[in-house]
Amino acid sequence: MEKTITDLLYLVSIILFIVGLKGLSHPETARKGNLTAAAGMILGILVALFEPIEGNNNYGWIVAGVALGSGIGLVAAKKIQMTKMPEMVSLFNGLGGACAMLIGLVEFYNLPAGTDMMSAAVFTDIFALIIGSVSFSGSLIAYGKLNGSLRDNFKLPAPQVINVLTLIAVIAISVMIAMGDSLDFNLVIALLAVSLFYGVVFVTPIGGGDMPVVISLLNSFTGIGAMGAGLIYGNNVMIIGGILVGASGIILTVLMCEAMNRTLLHVLVGGLSGGSGGSGN
Amino acid sequence: MLEILIQFIGENFGMITILVIASFLGMEIISKVPTVLHTPLMSGANAISGVVIIGAIILIRRAEAGDYFSLVLGTLGIALAMINVAGGFAVTNRMLEMFKKKKK
């Protein structure tokens, strides 16, 4: 297909996302909004399959992945009990984050030899890898807390110290990758590990009662991770779809806090200060 | 360092403009959502973030036939993101069905 045509179809997909999201925020149009967004997604995936790309295509692998994923997703969505919806959303969200993480990892692996480490390509890879990993491991912890397999009294010692140190490690390794003369894949693996760990230390101290807020925040992260992955490929649907979820997710997180008469800072720092205010109310 | 940043901004100014406008749009679209819709909206937005699957599709389409590292991890990425997409929209639909019945 001609690139201009596929670009236009991508634009239609973006419009369907925007209209869908708008519909989802009003009671009368919510269901239609969800279907509209789903139509946008199907269109986006179809265009991604047929837009002109130089390469081997490997359609067999793609079909296998799509079939496996939609099968598992649809069955899980159908079988899950209504009361378990929030944890299901958290799990789904983590898987989206995992995809951004895998993209970051593979794109690092495929970085052509001699690539300038101080380049947009490396920055976007680092970004997608970090955000995707944090969203993945954080969502799994939130999932565990909601379904009861992780108890609230499971706490890390000195959570605020570990949190800050891990964050420093994430930044330090990112800087080391960007400052290097060539790509050191061991550093990429280290960044992956530390980012995954950060997701754990970010969510673990927060009480189960505040999990919906945290899931909304992690959902926003996954959106931003999708945007980061979109920047790698210069793909507008991923960039705009991702940032839409990222931005609306932040606002939704704040609204959910307000509905619970809490502030986001309370939820996050309350958890970090040892749990005095973090266990919901 | 600053030079690189300025060069980056200069080269990607169109993209940065789109990012800023889309952020405002995202915040504006849902600023007046009623409390009952918080969870379905979160779920629906979560399904949209599965758009990351497009990246995994492009990754696989570009990969060499024998590059199993990319093919296996990319396919895993597609499968995981597709669970997010299919499951996400389906779960949201179920929630909203329930919501509709409640209202009556």
Side-chain angles (χ1 to χ4, degrees):
Chain A
M1 248 192 275
E2 186 96 20
K3 184 157 190 315
T4 311
I5 296 174
T6 53
D7 278 350
L8 278 173
L9 289 173
Y10 269 145
L11 187 59
V12 174
S13 165
I14 291 169
I15 293 168
L16 290 173
F17 283 160
I18 296 173
V19 174
L21 206 52
K22 175 96 189 149
L24 268 167
S25 59
H26 295 282
E28 314 83 55
T29 53
R31 229 181 131 198
K32 215 168 135 195
N34 184 50
L35 295 175
T36 309
M41 184 67 72
I42 292 170
L43 178 63
I45 290 173
L46 285 175
V47 179
L49 284 174
F50 298 112
E51 72 168 317
I53 287 179
E54 270 184 53
N56 197 43
N57 280 332
N58 304 302
Y59 281 129
W61 292 84
I62 297 177
V63 171
V66 169
L68 185 68
S70 18
I72 296 174
L74 290 176
V75 169
K78 202 163 180 211
K79 290 213 164 150
I80 188 78
Q81 292 162 21
M82 281 293 171
T83 50
K84 306 235 157 128
M85 292 286 185
E87 63 197 66
M88 202 70 210
V89 173
S90 181
L91 185 59
F92 287 156
N93 183 54
L95 300 182
C99 181
M101 170 185 87
L102 288 171
I103 289 175
L105 188 65
V106 174
E107 288 302 329
F108 258 124
Y109 180 80
N110 287 333
L111 219 53
T115 304
D116 184 7
M117 287 294 114
M118 269 291 183
S119 63
V122 173
F123 296 164
T124 46
D125 288 357
I126 290 176
F127 188 78
L129 186 68
I130 294 176
I131 306 275
S133 310
V134 170
S135 171
F136 174 49
S137 59
S139 298
L140 288 189
I141 296 292
Y143 170 74
K145 283 205 173 219
L146 279 177
N147 77 3
S149 52
L150 275 178
R151 299 249 198 83
D152 258 7
N153 55 20
F154 168 72
K155 288 241 156 65
L156 300 161
Q160 59 273 62
V161 178
I162 297 184
N163 189 303
V164 172
L165 286 181
T166 313
L167 198 55
I168 290 173
V170 169
I171 295 167
I173 297 172
S174 305
V175 171
M176 280 163 77
I177 292 174
M179 299 291 261
D181 293 328
S182 61
L183 180 65
D184 182 352
F185 203 69
N186 292 327
L187 282 178
V188 175
I189 300 294
L191 184 61
L192 173 71
V194 174
S195 303
L196 285 170
F197 185 65
Y198 186 72
V200 175
V201 296
F202 178 68
V203 179
T204 304
I206 301 171
D210 287 331
M211 271 311 120
V213 175
V214 175
I215 295 171
S216 176
L217 189 62
L218 290 169
N219 180 25
S220 170
F221 281 8
T222 305
I224 295 168
M227 178 205 78
L231 288 172
I232 296 177
Y233 301 106
N235 183 290
N236 281 339
V237 189
M238 293 172 73
I239 294 169
I240 297 177
I243 197 74
L244 274 178
V245 175
S248 61
I250 298 267
I251 295 295
L252 184 59
T253 308
V254 173
L255 290 175
M256 286 168 89
C257 286
E258 280 172 5
M260 292 164 74
N261 274 324
R262 296 170 64 79
T263 65
L264 183 56
L265 202 66
H266 259 104
V267 171
L268 298 180
V269 179
L272 278 184
S273 62
S276 54
S279 46
N281 40 15
Chain B
M1 192 69 200
L2 191 67
E3 251 172 58
I4 297 170
L5 190 68
I6 289 175
Q7 193 195 346
F8 179 79
I9 293 175
E11 281 168 4
N12 298 287
F13 203 76
M15 192 58 74
I16 291 166
T17 309
I18 291 176
L19 280 183
V20 173
I21 294 174
S23 311
F24 277 103
L25 183 63
M27 291 193 263
E28 212 46 52
I29 284 178
I30 66 144
S31 58
K32 290 180 202 90
V33 55
T35 314
V36 275
L37 280 180
H38 281 176
T39 310
L41 179 60
M42 175 172 85
S43 178
N46 166 48
I48 295 178
S49 70
V51 73
V52 69
I53 190 177
I54 290 179
I57 291 175
I58 298 175
L59 184 159
I60 295 257
R61 286 191 58 197
R62 282 182 180 175
E64 309 271 336
D67 177 6
Y68 290 109
F69 185 84
S70 304
L71 288 173
V72 170
L73 290 188
T75 304
L76 182 63
I78 289 182
L80 296 180
M82 197 63 211
I83 295 177
N84 186 6
V85 169
F89 284 120
V91 154
T92 311
N93 197 46
R94 266 188 74 190
M95 278 185 214
L96 292 170
E97 264 175 0
M98 182 180 70
F99 178 71
K100 207 169 123 198
K101 275 178 214 145
K102 245 191 211 163
K103 227 177 112 190
K104 271 179 191 170

